[in-house]
Every structure is written in structure tokens, then in C-alpha cells.
Amino acid sequence: MTEEEILNLMKSSQQDTETELQNQLVTSKLASIQEQKLQNEALGGSMSTIHFRSNDVPVDNKNVRVALLKIANFDKELQNCGKNSKKKEQLFLQLLTAYDDAISLVSEDLKEYQNMKRGPAVNTKRFECCNLLGFLSFEKLKLCMKRNEDMVNDLREEDCRIMKKNVGGRKKVDKASNGGSGGEDENSEAKRVEEIAHLYDALLQDARSVSNLPGGGDVNRFINAEDGASAADNAGSMMEEEKLEDEFLLEANANVLRLRALRCYYVARLYASSTLEKYVEASKLFEQALTLSVEAAEEIGACQDMDGGEEYMESMEALEKEIKGAKFRAEACAYLARSGGGSTTKSSSSSKSSGGGGGVVAGRSLLSRLDDFDSGGKTFHLVDVPPHLEPIPCKPTFFDIALNHVGEFPMEELQMFVDEYSKEKQEQQRSGGILGWFRRG
């Protein structure tokens, strides 16, 4: 390498370094400007109040207001980023971090108020911190649930599209193009249903966490409880509060029922898949899923201002129809398995051990099962071409044929004959000796 080439390389490296430093300086400058802007907005009164569970909660801490403004900015960018998966994932993580920072600030304030001496003012601050903490936790859980539900909805759409292609029976698999086996599609279907069930597990955990969030209630009752009011006063306030239904808890419980119904449905489908073939258990799970979907529809209908309530109602109605059809299919497969006509590829011994009854060998022709109540497995044909080899006896079958005409032995007649013969023999023994000939006369 010549000296001139080395100088050119050093110049280009220096230019790249200067450009990178300039970009870092610009980025840090923009971040400081954005931070100063948020500080000014917080001082100006932005995000000074939040509404959570019928309570207007003031936000006195300036740092918490700044954190709420950051959350609002990240949320707006996330809504406007489109389908850019990389940028969307980055904004999602930044938004989660912003929620965690805000929750940490509020938790510190709550801990500080809990260490103070009790009083009306301190108890009010505790109540406000509890509601603010519940609000931030709820928004964070709602964000995670929305992301997971978008993922599971995509998987459900794919599942419905594949199921529509296979209407009228399972899709035949070309053995030549599939390596001589038809198990790949079945395994992929089971994996897809299992993935959907796992996502609903995560959603159900988050939904149950929502119903246990702090906050809500009446500030006066909270203050009386913290001050150690009399039992009669507390009982009276609790009775008054029980008369007022908490819309937040109603929506949370309705959402839990909805997710339980969906999870139960896909777990039942997993049991009814060709990889497990536990049709009796699947039928019971479908029945439970149907009960849960009906209860969820009733609870959702009782919620007045639930976000997406109409959409949830329609989804539960559609789910009820799917469950009824799947339940009928599972019951039919269970009957076929009990009668030995199930379309399973397992051996008879494995089917009996799993409670499915006698199994059938896949691929039996119609000619070989004329007298059997049998679906024939997963492939359907009239005769085997060329015919399969069958074992034949190499010796005459006379004794086998004679055995078919042998019935039960007449035990009573045989016993009478034995008894009679025994008596005659005993008489002959008694009449023996020299005078035996004379005694016979």
C-alpha cells in the first residue's frame, strides 16, 4: 500500500468519525431539547390529573407528570409508525420502559407516604398514589394484552383459512411430495393450536392481574379505614359501596371469562387433534368452553361502556357456533373409537390403553371392510391393486372344521353314566369268591 493510499484511508476514517460524532451531538442535543420541552409542559399543568375507576386523581409530582408526557409521546409514535416491525418493536420496548419508570416513581411516593404518620391529608395522598399506581399498571397490562391479542388474532385468522381449505374432510397428502408420510400437516396444525392456547394462557394471566389492581373505591371510606373508624361505620360504608357496581371490575371479570372460553376451546381442539385423539376429554372441554362463552356474552352485555364490547359479543356468538360443531365432531369420533371404527393410525393396543377402543389400520380398502363399521383411515380406495398377500393354511383343516360342530359336553348325563358304572363295579366286587356262583341264582 502506497503512502497516498494510506493518507486517503486515514482521511476517510477521520470523516466517518467526525460524522458519527456530529450525529451523536445532534442526537444528544435533540434529547435535551425534548426533555426541556417536557419539563416546561409539566410545569404548565399538563398531565396534572388522570381519571381511573370513577376517580379524578391529581398528579402532584412533577417527575411523574414528565413520565406521563413521555408515555403519551411514545404511544402516539407507536400508533403512527405503521407496519414497520423493527421500528414498532423498538417503540414498544421504549413505551414499556417509560411505564416502568413511572411506576417506580409512584411506588417511591407511596412508600414515603406509608412511612408518615396517619392523618386525613396523608391518607388522601396514599389513596391518590394507589389509584395512580393502579392506573399505570393497568395501562401497561393493556398495552401488553393488545400486542398479544394482535398476535393471537393473526394466528386465528391463519387457522380459519386453513380450516376452510380442509372443509369436507382432511386434506390428502401426496406421499411422493411429502416424503411418504402424511403426518407433517397434522403436526403443524397441532403446533399452531398449541401456540394459540399458550398465548391465551399469557392473556389470561394478565387479565386476572387487571382484576387485582389497586385503586378504586371512595376516598372517604379509604380515609376512615386508615384512621381506624368504628366497625359499624365501616360496615355501613361497605354496604353502600356494594350497592354501587364497579364498572371496572365488571369489565375485567367479563374479559377473564372471554379469555377462559377461548383458551378452553383451543385446549379442547388440541385434545381432539390426530396427535392425541382423546375425544372423550375433548368433548367435555368443548362443553365447558360453551358454558364459559355463554357466561362471557352475558357479562359483556351487562357492561355498559366496555371498549370493544360489541366486537367481543360477536366473537362470543361466533365461538359458540364453532364449539357446537367441534363438539359434535368429537362425540362422533369418540363413538367411532369405542366401536372400533375410528380413523386412527395407531395400533389396537395403544388405542385401548388410551381409552379410545379398538383402532383400525389406515389404508384398508372397502372390499376388506365390507362387514365393519369403519371409516378406513385417512386414505380411501375400493380395492388393493395388486392384492395384498394373505396367509393360507398349509395342512388340511378337517379338525378345525370338526371343532366348529363341537358344543358343550352333557355333564349331567356323563355323571349319571359314571355313577351307574361305579355301582355295578362295587356289586361285582361284593359277589366274588367261592360261593359267588350260588349267590347269583
Side-chain angles (χ1 to χ4, degrees), residues 304-321:
Q304 299 177 356
D305 301 324
M306 186 176 184
D307 293 338
E310 295 181 359
E311 182 181 354
Y312 291 157
M313 285 284 292
E314 294 176 359
S315 67
M316 287 295 101
E317 292 174 359
L319 182 65
E320 289 177 20
K321 296 179 181 178

Side-chain angles (χ1 to χ4, degrees), residues 54 56 77 111 171 190 225 238 244 256 344 362:
S54 304
D56 292 325
E77 291 181 15
K111 185 177 180 181
K171 185 172 62 176
M238 289 176 65
L244 301 174
V256 168
T344 174

Side-chain angles (χ1 to χ4, degrees), residues 243-412:
K243 295 178 182 178
L244 301 174
E245 293 182 347
D246 191 348
E247 187 71 17
F248 180 83
L249 287 178
L250 287 177
E251 294 178 2
N253 293 330
N255 197 32
V256 168
L257 284 173
R258 180 182 71 88
L259 294 173
R260 283 180 62 194
L262 288 164
R263 176 187 174 276
C264 189
Y265 166 66
Y266 283 100
V267 170
R269 276 190 56 186
L270 192 61
Y271 271 87
S273 63
S274 57
T275 56
L276 293 180
E277 294 183 350
K278 295 184 177 181
Y279 302 114
V280 177
E281 293 86 347
S283 178
K284 297 298 182 182
L285 286 171
F286 281 129
E287 186 176 352
Q288 176 68 9
L290 184 62
T291 303
L292 290 172
S293 63
V294 173
E295 293 180 3
E298 293 176 355
E299 292 294 329
I300 293 171
C303 300
Q304 299 177 356
D305 301 324
M306 186 176 184
D307 293 338
E310 295 181 359
E311 182 181 354
Y312 291 157
M313 285 284 292
E314 294 176 359
S315 67
M316 287 295 101
E317 292 174 359
L319 182 65
E320 289 177 20
K321 296 179 181 178
E322 291 182 18
I323 291 173
K324 289 178 181 178
K327 182 185 175 185
F328 293 151
R329 287 194 295 270
E331 290 176 349
C333 290
Y335 176 77
L336 289 173
R338 286 195 300 270
S339 61
S343 58
T344 174
T345 57
K346 299 177 181 179
S347 62
S348 300
S349 60
S350 63
S351 298
K352 289 178 181 179
S353 63
S354 62
V360 296
V361 179
R364 289 206 309 163
S365 64
L366 180 63
L367 186 62
S368 63
R369 53 187 174 86
L370 291 175
D371 298 327
D372 297 336
F373 188 68
D374 179 11
S375 65
K378 295 181 173 60
T379 57
F380 310 95
H381 55 281
L382 297 178
V383 293
D384 296 319
V385 180
H388 291 301
L389 297 177
E390 297 181 0
I392 60 173
C394 60
K395 294 182 180 180
T397 58
F398 172 77
F399 293 105
D400 294 336
I401 295 174
L403 185 62
N404 294 333
H405 299 281
V406 175
E408 296 181 357
F409 290 102
M411 299 302 297
E412 295 181 357

